[in-house]
Amino acid sequence: MALAIEWSSPVDGDTLSESVTSFLQNSDLSARLPVVRRFPAFEVRIEDQSASVVQNNIEVVDFVQTNPDGSMAWTLSLRPEFFSCSCAAYTRWANVKPVLVELLKHVASIPAKKGARIGAIGLQYGDTFRWAKDDKDALSDLLRKDSGVFPANVLQYTNLWHSHNGWYSEDKVGNRVLNLVNLDLTDEGEQRALRVNGQHRLQSVRFSDNQPIEISLDEIEDVADALHIENKRALQSVLNDEVLSMIGMTKVEV
C-alpha cells in the first residue's frame, strides 16, 4: 500500500533538493530508509504533432528500506508532481499509518512552507487472494454475491476476467473523493489469483459544486484515516462476510 501527497503544480528542482537534504540530515528518519537511489527526471514535450523527451535538470530520489532478500520493504519517493511513501511489509493500519505520516510530513513541509498547494492526498492498496486452480468454488466463496462494485455475471465465468470500477464520494467536511477499485482474475502457475487494487484520492475540490478547497499538510493524518475507511468500505463491498472475518476486518457503515 502507499500514501501520497499530490501537488497542484510540480515543485521546482531547488525545493525538491531541499526536501532531500532535510531528510538526509535527519539521522532518525534516514536510518530507517538507508538506501538512496537518484534518477534524472525527464520531461515529455509535444509540439507540432511530434513528441520529444528531454532532461529537465531535476533529480528525483527514492529512499528505500530493503528486506534481507533485496526486495523493497519501504520506499519514500520524491517527485516534482507528488511525494509518496509505500509499504510492502504491511501488518496493521495502526502500525503502518504513523510511519507513513511522519515520513511524508517531514519531506512535504518544505514545499508547503514555500506555498506549494496540495491537489490531492491518495491512498493506494493491493490485496491478492490465491487458491488451487481445481477449486471451482473458491471464487464464489470469496466474493459478495450482492456487490455493487462488480457485475454479478462474473461468477458465471470459468475463464479469466477483470472488472474496473470507479465512483465519487463525499468526505465528512465536503471534499470530493475519487474511488477506483480494480479486480483482476489471473493465473499464477498452478494457482488462480484475484488481485484487488484500489485507489482513494481526496481532492482539493468540494463534492457539491467543484469549488476549490484548501488541504493543509496538518490534515494528512485525518485524511489518511478517512481514506482507509473508504478502503474498508470498498473491500467489504467486494468480499463476503466470512472472508472479512478471516482477514480480521471489522465492518464499517456504508
Side-chain angles (χ1 to χ4, degrees), residues 210-237:
N210 297 330
Q211 291 300 306
I213 294 180
E214 197 78 21
I215 301 177
S216 167
L217 185 58
D218 291 334
E219 298 176 66
I220 186 172
E221 186 168 3
D222 289 340
V223 170
D225 280 331
L227 295 178
H228 181 239
I229 294 297
E230 292 288 1
N231 169 16
K232 294 180 71 172
R233 287 195 181 105
L235 283 176
Q236 73 184 34
S237 296

Side-chain angles (χ1 to χ4, degrees), residues 180-194:
L180 303 174
V181 178
N182 299 335
L183 307 180
D184 294 275
L185 186 64
T186 64
D187 282 337
E188 296 183 357
E190 296 303 313
Q191 291 185 315
R192 186 146 284 186
L194 180 71

Side-chain angles (χ1 to χ4, degrees), residues 39-231:
F39 312 90
F42 295 91
E43 181 179 321
V44 178
R45 295 180 182 173
I46 301 177
E47 299 175 329
D48 298 326
Q49 296 184 345
S50 63
S52 60
V53 179
V54 296
Q55 287 187 327
N56 57 10
N57 298 317
I58 295 178
E59 187 176 61
V60 299
V61 179
D62 288 344
F63 299 102
V64 179
Q65 178 193 112
T66 59
N67 292 310
D69 63 1
S71 60
M72 291 184 289
W74 287 84
T75 304
L76 178 65
S77 299
L78 274 56
R79 305 289 187 270
E81 299 81 12
F82 64 87
F83 289 1
S84 69
C85 187
S86 60
C87 172
Y90 188 86
T91 53
R92 297 177 63 249
W93 177 248
N95 298 333
V96 171
K97 183 198 71 174
V99 180
L100 295 168
V101 169
E102 182 182 14
L103 292 172
L104 281 175
K105 284 189 74 171
H106 182 87
V107 293
S109 63
I110 291 173
K113 288 176 183 176
K114 289 190 169 188
R117 293 184 63 252
I118 297 175
I121 296 177
L123 177 69
Q124 188 170 351
Y125 66 90
D127 296 293
T128 302
F129 299 86
R130 298 179 176 89
W131 60 90
K133 279 185 181 180
D134 58 1
D135 187 345
K136 305 302 181 183
D137 297 324
L139 187 62
S140 61
D141 290 340
L142 178 68
L143 296 177
R144 183 172 294 277
K145 305 299 187 295
D146 58 349
S147 173
V149 176
F150 59 87
N153 64 346
V154 299
L155 294 173
Q156 301 172 11
Y157 297 139
T158 57
N159 210 326
L160 306 181
W161 53 265
H162 68 265
S163 174
H164 295 179
N165 202 349
W167 65 93
Y168 290 108
S169 60
E170 182 178 9
D171 82 337
K172 62 182 180 181
V173 297
N175 288 69
R176 188 172 68 193
V177 180
L178 173 61
N179 305 279
L180 303 174
V181 178
N182 299 335
L183 307 180
D184 294 275
L185 186 64
T186 64
D187 282 337
E188 296 183 357
E190 296 303 313
Q191 291 185 315
R192 186 146 284 186
L194 180 71
R195 296 175 182 169
V196 185
N197 296 300
Q199 185 184 99
H200 307 278
R201 296 173 62 243
L202 183 137
Q203 303 172 331
S204 59
V205 294
R206 196 158 49 213
F207 177 84
S208 59
D209 56 12
N210 297 330
Q211 291 300 306
I213 294 180
E214 197 78 21
I215 301 177
S216 167
L217 185 58
D218 291 334
E219 298 176 66
I220 186 172
E221 186 168 3
D222 289 340
V223 170
D225 280 331
L227 295 178
H228 181 239
I229 294 297
E230 292 288 1
N231 169 16

